[in-house]
């Protein structure tokens, strides 16, 4: 069951910016209806005012649809709504002309000129601004606003308005429509920039993975290339010697066997070094990765120096998984990692404000991945893992591992951990 506001928290940052942009311009249409549509009923009378309110509602609805189609077009989800933009421009001009006609030839009642002037001004300001969302060129967007302002001056002058009044009216329309057009142009630019930055971050992550795969491939090539070449040559030599009935073929095959065993050992060393997790390195790496993603990460408490190797390795995997979950499952702004060495035990806690594990725990459905895999890894050295919300949108992951007696061994990782580390290298 989703918590209130869960639909917002589960959106990515670009999706949040798009939603904010979309509804900001939708609000302009709503504001247009409530500011001049409803308020025109009283001064114009029930019949004429209802007609004016209906006309403004049609224009507001047309703006509402145009905003959605234009933003979808800027994101490449649909073709440019050219017909809709021309329709909105024509309806805007027609309503503005009708408002001027109402002010000149309408009922001679108090408030009629004010209501008609309000409809005229708001329609001519919001209309060109919304149209600017659907054009690519900035010059064209501001040109549309200038065109409506010029049309305003021409129509008001033709209706016999004083030159100063016509110029002042056109100037108001120009300033208002240019402001809304600038807001539209800037919002589209910001939305595209956010999406491009998000794509660049994903590309950087993919390149980092590809670079690591290339490094691992180079290591395997350096280790196995020479040995495999020698094995191939000695196997070919042994075949030729065996075909001639020479006893040296056995010596060559013994050498092939020795090289194969040596290659196995070297591959295990490469894999073990590739999968080995160091707590200090993982803490620094998590802090760097989260900072690159715009998440303020602090690391405090005790240092990893002096902890037994099995404990460091297990806690390093906890840090790696926790950092991955903060990036993948939530929208955190800050993350705090704290390491405490208490009497007979060590406690690592990772807390973030993104509630990244809301709902079922990611990775708990299968063994060897996610939190379930961490619990298995910690259980091998009698450790425990707790994870869950702690209130106020915070999520905390806590790992606790008992420390072995000081006289006990603090050497290599247990055999089961090493075996699984080797097996997990297979993609």
């Amino acid at each position: 069951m989703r918590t209130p506001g869960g639909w917002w928290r589960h959106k990515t940052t670009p999706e949040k910016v798009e939603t904010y942009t979309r509804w900001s311009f939708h609000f302009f249409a709503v504001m247009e209806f409530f500011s001049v549509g409803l308020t025109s009923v009283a001064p114009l009378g029930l019949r004429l005012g209802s007609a004016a309110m209906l006309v403004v509602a049609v224009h507001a609805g047309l703006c509402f649809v145009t905003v959605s189609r234009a933003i979808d077009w800027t994101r490449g989800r649909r073709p440019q709504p050219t017909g809709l933009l021309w329709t909105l421009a024509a309806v805007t001009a027609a309503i503005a002309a009708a408002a001027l006609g109402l002010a000149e030839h309408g009922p001679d009642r108090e408030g009629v000129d004010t209501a008609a002037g309000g409809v005229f001004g708001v329609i001519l300001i919001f209309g060109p601004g919304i149209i600017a969302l659907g054009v690519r060129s900035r010059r064209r967007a501001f040109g549309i606003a200038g065109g409506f302002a010029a049309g305003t001056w021409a129509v008001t002058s033709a209706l016999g308005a004083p030159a100063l009044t016509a110029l002042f009216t056109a100037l108001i329309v120009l300033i208002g429509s240019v402001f809304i057009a600038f807001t539209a142009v800037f919002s589209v630019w910001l939305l595209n920039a956010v999406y491009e930055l998000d794509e660049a971050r994903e590309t950087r992550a993919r390149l980092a993975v590809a670079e690591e795969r290339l490094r691992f491939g180079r290591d395997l090539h350096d280790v196995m290339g020479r040995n495999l070449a020698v094995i191939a040559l000695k196997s070919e030599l042994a075949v030729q010697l065996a075909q001639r009935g020479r006893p040296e073929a056995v010596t060559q095959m013994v050498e092939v066997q020795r090289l194969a065993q040596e290659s196995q050992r070297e591959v295990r060393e490469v894999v073990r070094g590739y999968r080995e997790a160091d707590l200090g390195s993982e803490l620094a790496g998590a802090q760097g990765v989260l900072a690159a993603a715009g998440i303020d990460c602090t690391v405090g408490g005790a240092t990893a120096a002096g902890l037994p190797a099995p404990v460091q390795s297990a806690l390093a995997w906890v840090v790696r998984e926790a950092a991955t979950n903060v990036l993948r499952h939530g929208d955190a702004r800050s993350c705090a990692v704290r390491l405490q060495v208490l009497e007979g035990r060590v406690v690592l806690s990772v807390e973030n404000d993104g509630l990244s594990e809301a709902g079922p725990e990611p990775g708990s459905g299968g063994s060897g991945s996610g939190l379930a895999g961490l619990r298995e890894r910690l259980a091998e050295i009698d450790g425990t893992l707790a994870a869950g919300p702690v209130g106020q949108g915070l999520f905390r992951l806590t790992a606790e591992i008992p420390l072995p007696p000081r006289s006990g061994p603090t050497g290599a990782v247990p055999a089961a951990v090493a075996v699984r580390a080797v097996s997990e290298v297979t993609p």
Side-chain angles (χ1 to χ4, degrees):
M1 182 178 180
R2 286 192 174 184
T3 58
W7 67 275
W8 177 260
R9 285 199 301 270
H10 285 80
K11 287 180 176 291
T12 63
T13 298
E15 289 173 345
K16 289 180 179 179
V17 175
E18 180 179 346
T19 301
Y20 172 79
T21 303
R22 189 183 299 271
W23 283 101
S24 296
F25 284 94
H26 283 166
F27 179 73
F28 285 155
V30 175
M31 186 170 59
E32 173 186 302
F33 175 74
F34 282 98
S35 62
V36 297
L38 288 179
T39 58
S40 62
V41 175
L44 295 179
L46 182 60
R47 185 174 179 180
L48 189 58
S50 298
M53 182 180 66
L54 180 60
V55 169
V56 173
V58 170
H59 187 269
L62 194 57
C63 289
F64 203 93
V65 175
T66 303
V67 167
S68 293
R69 299 290 179 85
I71 292 180
D72 287 343
W73 166 68
T74 61
R75 296 306 313 145
R77 303 187 188 115
R78 63 171 69 240
Q80 184 179 17
T82 307
L84 193 59
L85 296 177
W86 279 107
T87 302
L88 178 59
V91 170
T92 299
I95 295 177
L100 282 179
L102 180 63
E104 290 292 330
H105 307 289
D108 188 14
R109 292 199 304 266
E110 183 180 359
V112 172
D113 290 348
T114 303
V119 172
F120 174 82
V122 171
I123 290 294
L124 281 181
I125 289 175
F126 285 168
I130 298 298
I131 294 172
L133 282 173
V135 296
R136 187 77 68 185
S137 171
R138 298 176 185 177
R139 291 183 179 179
R140 185 173 298 178
F142 294 123
I144 292 172
F148 273 95
T152 299
W153 175 81
V155 172
T156 51
S157 298
L159 291 176
L164 187 61
T165 301
L167 182 62
F168 182 71
T169 303
L171 186 61
I172 292 177
V173 171
L174 178 64
I175 294 174
S177 58
V178 165
F179 175 76
I180 301 297
F182 172 79
T183 304
V185 169
F186 178 77
S187 298
V188 170
W189 172 83
L190 180 62
L191 178 61
N192 291 332
V194 170
Y195 269 104
E196 289 173 2
L197 287 174
D198 188 67
E199 292 172 359
R201 185 174 63 176
E202 292 181 359
T203 301
R204 183 176 61 181
R206 287 195 298 267
L207 289 176
V209 173
E211 183 178 355
E212 186 64 15
R213 286 176 177 172
L214 289 174
R215 185 193 71 81
F216 185 59
R218 288 193 300 266
D219 290 347
L220 281 180
H221 177 270
D222 294 341
V223 169
M224 296 296 295
R226 180 186 64 84
N227 289 355
L228 289 177
V230 175
I231 288 174
L233 289 174
K234 286 187 173 294
S235 299
E236 183 179 356
L237 177 59
V239 169
Q240 294 177 1
L241 291 174
Q243 289 175 346
R244 299 173 186 176
R246 301 285 295 275
E248 290 87 348
V250 176
T251 304
Q252 296 300 324
M253 290 308 300
V254 170
E255 183 65 14
V256 168
Q257 183 182 21
R258 185 190 66 79
L259 286 172
Q261 292 172 347
E262 181 181 351
S263 298
Q264 284 183 319
R265 178 183 58 79
E266 291 179 347
V267 168
R268 291 193 191 99
E269 290 178 357
V270 171
V271 171
R272 188 177 296 112
Y274 181 74
R275 297 294 292 176
E276 189 178 51
D278 176 72
L279 180 55
S281 300
E282 287 298 332
L283 287 172
Q287 191 172 22
V289 168
L290 293 177
I295 301 173
D296 182 23
C297 180
T298 58
V299 178
T303 62
L307 292 177
V311 175
Q312 286 206 41
S313 179
L315 292 180
W317 283 103
V318 172
V319 172
R320 182 179 298 184
E321 179 68 20
T324 301
N325 286 344
V326 170
L327 291 172
R328 182 184 302 165
H329 300 295
D331 188 24
R333 294 181 297 275
S334 63
C335 179
V337 183
R338 184 171 181 81
L339 180 67
Q340 295 176 289
V341 180
L342 307 176
E343 184 177 355
R345 59 195 173 96
V346 58
V347 179
L348 175 73
S349 64
V350 182
E351 183 177 292
N352 69 88
D353 61 356
L355 200 60
S356 61
E357 310 289 343
E361 295 174 357
S364 60
S367 131
S369 63
L371 301 185
L374 289 181
R375 289 192 174 97
E376 292 178 2
R377 190 182 297 273
L378 292 175
E380 293 177 355
I381 52 176
D382 298 326
T384 58
L385 182 74
V390 291
Q392 298 181 350
L394 298 178
F395 183 87
R396 181 183 300 156
L397 184 147
T398 304
E400 183 174 334
I401 302 176
L403 291 174
R406 293 187 180 274
S407 58
T410 60
V413 182
V417 177
V419 169
R420 187 171 64 234
V422 173
S423 65
E424 286 179 350
V425 76
T426 304

